[in-house]
């Protein structure tokens, strides 16, 4: 159970705080390893056996294999680290943004061109819950 | 004496660098953004600083969770572009200015800002995209660069006030460097954006325009923006704007705005640029 923080009521946001950092250390260090071309190649050859090198929890491991982008954030991943997997997969930040927010890439891109996700209605979790 | 004469605030979105590298700056998507950069390039080329202190953040390139310095100052003679997972950007090697950088380190630490001193540090898009924005694609960057890398990824980031005070200490340090050098400072990152989670894509143009306005009208308000206000109002990655406060702190209290450009979107981000000059 996470302790409530002053920022815990921001919707759809996983603040990379000390709790997250403790939980996600090995997950993020796995992601970091993909900065090296030789490691990218090993991961490409066999994702499962490459992941064996890192003491991930079963949930973290499955989230990586499933490319569960929000799941990785919930399990302590930080977006700048998990994005290394997206780079590996050839995905852009807009594609990952679309996947995390549950829309098609085209819809996400159109939202950005139209000025981005508006702040109105997106400040507090209560605003999301009220809207169903 | 060294003279810190001006500052630039600018976003450092990696997509902007990719647009330069792939020759896409004139397509329909990117042209409005790059057209707005042109006056800043002309101004910087005319002013021709000898050294630019670039305040930026590393994105899991030089530093990882293994080591998280809050303020890291690059004192090396050169810094190579980092491999962020695509192979390094094909941009010139960044030339440092070890004498001024070590003077900064010495002065700042004696002034009670306990900097981390770095000799080996590849530099990622956080530093090289602002160079591309302000200089285009030269054979070599036209000035020396002192990288000042700030942790804005691991919460808690340094506060806006701490950053502002560090800027003031940087100014004292530059002012006491006994060589005729023309020095500028860039504060980079922002503006409003959120990359992560179900709220990805958040942009708050009203927040950003007020931020640009208050860099000259009401600095006290900006200095006191809390982390939670940045995260809630400008997106979880909008807190990068504390790095602009280092730039602002290094300038005179009555610095003037010379130019600004604001455009949405650059990839998932509201892109801003502002030039501030001492009177």
């Amino acid at each position: 159970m996470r302790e409530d923080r002053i920022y815990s009521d921001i919707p759809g946001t996983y603040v990379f705080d000390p709790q997250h950092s403790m939980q996600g250390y090995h997950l993020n260090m796995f992601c970091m390893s993909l900065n090296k071309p030789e490691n990218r190649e090993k991961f490409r050859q066999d994702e499962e056996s490459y992941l064996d090198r890192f003491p991930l929890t079963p949930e973290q491991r499955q989230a990586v294999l499933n490319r569960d982008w929000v799941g990785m954030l919930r399990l302590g991943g930080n977006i700048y680290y998990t994005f290394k997997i997206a780079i590996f997969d050839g995905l852009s930040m807009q594609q990952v943004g679309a996947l995390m927010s549950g829309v098609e890439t085209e819809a996400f891109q159109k939202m950005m061109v139209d000025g981005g996700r508006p702040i109105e209605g997106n400040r507090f979790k209560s605003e999301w819950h009220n809207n169903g | 004496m060294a003279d810190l004469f001006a500052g630039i605030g600018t976003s450092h979105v990696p997509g902007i660098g990719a647009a330069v590298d792939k020759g896409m700056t004139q397509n329909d998507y990117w042209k409005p953004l790059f057209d707005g950069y042109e006056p800043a390039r002309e101004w910087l080329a005319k002013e021709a600083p000898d050294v630019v202190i670039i305040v930026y953040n590393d994105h899991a390139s030089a530093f990882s969770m293994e080591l998280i310095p809050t303020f890291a100052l690059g004192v090396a003679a050169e810094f190579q572009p980092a491999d962020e997972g695509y192979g390094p950007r094909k941009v010139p090697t960044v030339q440092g200015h070890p004498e001024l950088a070590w003077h900064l380190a010495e002065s700042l630490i004696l002034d009670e800002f306990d900097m981390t001193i770095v000799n080996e540090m590849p530099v990622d898009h956080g530093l090289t995209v602002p160079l591309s924005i302000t200089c285009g694609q030269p054979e070599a960057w036209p000035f020396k660069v002192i990288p000042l890398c700030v942790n804005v990824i691991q919460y808690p980031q340094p506060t806006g006030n701490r950053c502002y005070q560090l800027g003031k200490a940087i100014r004292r340090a530059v002012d006491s460097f006994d060589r005729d050098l023309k020095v500028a400072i860039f504060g980079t990152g922002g503006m409003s954006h959120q990359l992560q989670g179900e709220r990805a894509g958040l942009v708050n143009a009203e927040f950003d325009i007020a931020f640009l306005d208050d860099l000259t009208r009401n600095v006290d308000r900006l200095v006191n923006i809390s982390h939670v206000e940045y995260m809630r109002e400008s997106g979880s990655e909008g807190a990068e704007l504390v790095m602009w406060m280092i730039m602002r702190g290094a300038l005179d209290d009555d610095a003037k705005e010379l130019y600004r450009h604001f455009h949405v979107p650059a990839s998932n981000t509201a892109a801003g640029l502002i030039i501030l000059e001492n009177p």
Side-chain angles (χ1 to χ4, degrees), chain B residues 157-178:
Chain B
Q157 301 82 356
T159 64
N161 182 53
R162 186 64 174 162
C163 288
Y164 184 67
Q165 299 302 331
L166 173 59
K168 290 190 170 297
I170 288 171
R171 177 62 179 279
R172 290 192 287 274
V174 172
D175 284 350
S176 67
F177 190 62
D178 191 17

Short mmCIF file of all heavy atoms in Angstrom, two decimals, chain B residues 157-178:
data_model
loop_
_atom_site.label_atom_id
_atom_site.label_comp_id
_atom_site.label_asym_id
_atom_site.label_seq_id
_atom_site.Cartn_x
_atom_site.Cartn_y
_atom_site.Cartn_z
N GLN B 157 13.08 16.74 -7.02
CA GLN B 157 13.98 17.61 -7.76
C GLN B 157 14.37 18.78 -6.85
O GLN B 157 13.69 19.04 -5.86
CB GLN B 157 13.27 18.17 -9.00
CG GLN B 157 12.75 17.14 -9.98
CD GLN B 157 11.40 16.54 -9.59
OE1 GLN B 157 10.85 16.84 -8.54
NE2 GLN B 157 10.87 15.68 -10.44
N PRO B 158 15.45 19.49 -7.18
CA PRO B 158 15.72 20.71 -6.40
C PRO B 158 14.56 21.69 -6.55
O PRO B 158 13.90 21.69 -7.59
CB PRO B 158 17.01 21.26 -7.02
CG PRO B 158 17.08 20.66 -8.39
CD PRO B 158 16.40 19.33 -8.29
N THR B 159 14.33 22.50 -5.55
CA THR B 159 13.20 23.44 -5.62
C THR B 159 13.52 24.59 -6.58
O THR B 159 14.69 24.88 -6.88
CB THR B 159 12.92 24.06 -4.24
OG1 THR B 159 14.06 24.83 -3.84
CG2 THR B 159 12.63 22.99 -3.19
N GLY B 160 12.48 25.25 -7.01
CA GLY B 160 12.66 26.43 -7.87
C GLY B 160 13.51 27.48 -7.18
O GLY B 160 14.38 28.10 -7.81
N ASN B 161 13.31 27.64 -5.90
CA ASN B 161 14.09 28.65 -5.17
C ASN B 161 15.56 28.27 -5.10
O ASN B 161 16.44 29.10 -5.29
CB ASN B 161 13.53 28.84 -3.76
CG ASN B 161 14.29 29.92 -3.01
OD1 ASN B 161 14.43 31.03 -3.51
ND2 ASN B 161 14.80 29.58 -1.84
N ARG B 162 15.84 26.97 -4.84
CA ARG B 162 17.24 26.54 -4.78
C ARG B 162 17.91 26.76 -6.14
O ARG B 162 19.06 27.19 -6.22
CB ARG B 162 17.31 25.05 -4.39
CG ARG B 162 18.71 24.54 -4.16
CD ARG B 162 19.37 25.24 -2.99
NE ARG B 162 20.67 24.67 -2.66
CZ ARG B 162 21.58 25.29 -1.92
NH1 ARG B 162 21.34 26.50 -1.43
NH2 ARG B 162 22.73 24.71 -1.66
N CYS B 163 17.18 26.46 -7.20
CA CYS B 163 17.71 26.66 -8.54
C CYS B 163 17.99 28.15 -8.80
O CYS B 163 19.03 28.52 -9.34
CB CYS B 163 16.73 26.11 -9.58
SG CYS B 163 16.69 24.30 -9.59
N TYR B 164 17.04 28.98 -8.39
CA TYR B 164 17.20 30.42 -8.58
C TYR B 164 18.42 30.93 -7.82
O TYR B 164 19.23 31.71 -8.35
CB TYR B 164 15.92 31.11 -8.10
CG TYR B 164 15.87 32.59 -8.31
CD1 TYR B 164 15.83 33.14 -9.59
CD2 TYR B 164 15.83 33.46 -7.22
CE1 TYR B 164 15.76 34.51 -9.77
CE2 TYR B 164 15.76 34.82 -7.39
CZ TYR B 164 15.73 35.35 -8.67
OH TYR B 164 15.66 36.71 -8.85
N GLN B 165 18.58 30.46 -6.59
CA GLN B 165 19.74 30.88 -5.78
C GLN B 165 21.05 30.36 -6.38
O GLN B 165 22.07 31.05 -6.35
CB GLN B 165 19.59 30.39 -4.33
CG GLN B 165 18.37 30.93 -3.59
CD GLN B 165 18.31 32.45 -3.54
OE1 GLN B 165 19.34 33.12 -3.54
NE2 GLN B 165 17.10 32.99 -3.52
N LEU B 166 21.00 29.15 -6.94
CA LEU B 166 22.20 28.63 -7.62
C LEU B 166 22.55 29.53 -8.81
O LEU B 166 23.73 29.81 -9.06
CB LEU B 166 21.96 27.19 -8.09
CG LEU B 166 23.07 26.58 -8.95
CD1 LEU B 166 24.42 26.55 -8.22
CD2 LEU B 166 22.70 25.16 -9.39
N GLY B 167 21.53 29.98 -9.52
CA GLY B 167 21.77 30.90 -10.63
C GLY B 167 22.49 32.16 -10.16
O GLY B 167 23.45 32.63 -10.79
N LYS B 168 22.06 32.68 -9.04
CA LYS B 168 22.72 33.88 -8.50
C LYS B 168 24.18 33.60 -8.14
O LYS B 168 25.07 34.43 -8.36
CB LYS B 168 21.95 34.40 -7.28
CG LYS B 168 20.59 35.00 -7.66
CD LYS B 168 19.97 35.71 -6.48
CE LYS B 168 18.74 36.53 -6.91
NZ LYS B 168 19.04 37.61 -7.85
N ALA B 169 24.42 32.40 -7.59
CA ALA B 169 25.80 32.03 -7.23
C ALA B 169 26.66 31.85 -8.49
O ALA B 169 27.85 32.18 -8.50
CB ALA B 169 25.79 30.76 -6.39
N ILE B 170 26.04 31.32 -9.56
CA ILE B 170 26.77 31.19 -10.83
C ILE B 170 27.16 32.57 -11.33
O ILE B 170 28.28 32.79 -11.81
CB ILE B 170 25.89 30.45 -11.87
CG1 ILE B 170 25.79 28.97 -11.49
CG2 ILE B 170 26.45 30.63 -13.28
CD1 ILE B 170 24.78 28.18 -12.31
N ARG B 171 26.25 33.51 -11.19
CA ARG B 171 26.57 34.88 -11.63
C ARG B 171 27.75 35.45 -10.86
O ARG B 171 28.68 36.04 -11.43
CB ARG B 171 25.32 35.76 -11.47
CG ARG B 171 25.56 37.21 -11.82
CD ARG B 171 25.96 37.36 -13.30
NE ARG B 171 26.16 38.75 -13.62
CZ ARG B 171 25.17 39.60 -13.90
NH1 ARG B 171 23.91 39.19 -13.89
NH2 ARG B 171 25.43 40.85 -14.18
N ARG B 172 27.74 35.25 -9.53
CA ARG B 172 28.87 35.75 -8.72
C ARG B 172 30.17 35.09 -9.17
O ARG B 172 31.21 35.74 -9.24
CB ARG B 172 28.63 35.44 -7.24
CG ARG B 172 27.51 36.26 -6.60
CD ARG B 172 27.50 36.13 -5.07
NE ARG B 172 27.03 34.84 -4.58
CZ ARG B 172 25.74 34.53 -4.36
NH1 ARG B 172 24.80 35.43 -4.60
NH2 ARG B 172 25.40 33.34 -3.91
N ALA B 173 30.08 33.80 -9.51
CA ALA B 173 31.28 33.08 -9.93
C ALA B 173 31.80 33.61 -11.27
O ALA B 173 33.00 33.86 -11.44
CB ALA B 173 30.98 31.59 -10.03
N VAL B 174 30.90 33.80 -12.22
CA VAL B 174 31.33 34.31 -13.54
C VAL B 174 31.91 35.71 -13.39
O VAL B 174 32.96 36.04 -13.96
CB VAL B 174 30.15 34.30 -14.55
CG1 VAL B 174 30.55 35.01 -15.84
CG2 VAL B 174 29.70 32.86 -14.83
N ASP B 175 31.23 36.53 -12.58
CA ASP B 175 31.70 37.91 -12.38
C ASP B 175 33.12 37.96 -11.80
O ASP B 175 33.83 38.94 -12.00
CB ASP B 175 30.76 38.67 -11.42
CG ASP B 175 29.46 39.07 -12.08
OD1 ASP B 175 29.35 38.95 -13.31
OD2 ASP B 175 28.53 39.50 -11.35
N SER B 176 33.50 36.92 -11.08
CA SER B 176 34.82 36.94 -10.44
C SER B 176 35.87 36.18 -11.24
O SER B 176 36.96 35.93 -10.74
CB SER B 176 34.71 36.35 -9.03
OG SER B 176 34.41 34.96 -9.09
N PHE B 177 35.57 35.83 -12.48
CA PHE B 177 36.54 35.11 -13.32
C PHE B 177 37.35 36.14 -14.10
O PHE B 177 36.81 36.91 -14.90
CB PHE B 177 35.82 34.15 -14.27
CG PHE B 177 36.75 33.21 -15.01
CD1 PHE B 177 37.54 32.30 -14.32
CD2 PHE B 177 36.83 33.25 -16.40
CE1 PHE B 177 38.38 31.42 -15.01
CE2 PHE B 177 37.67 32.37 -17.09
CZ PHE B 177 38.44 31.46 -16.39
N ASP B 178 38.65 36.12 -13.89
CA ASP B 178 39.49 37.21 -14.34
C ASP B 178 39.99 37.01 -15.78
O ASP B 178 41.19 36.99 -16.03
CB ASP B 178 40.68 37.36 -13.38
CG ASP B 178 41.44 38.66 -13.63
OD1 ASP B 178 40.87 39.54 -14.29
OD2 ASP B 178 42.59 38.76 -13.18
#
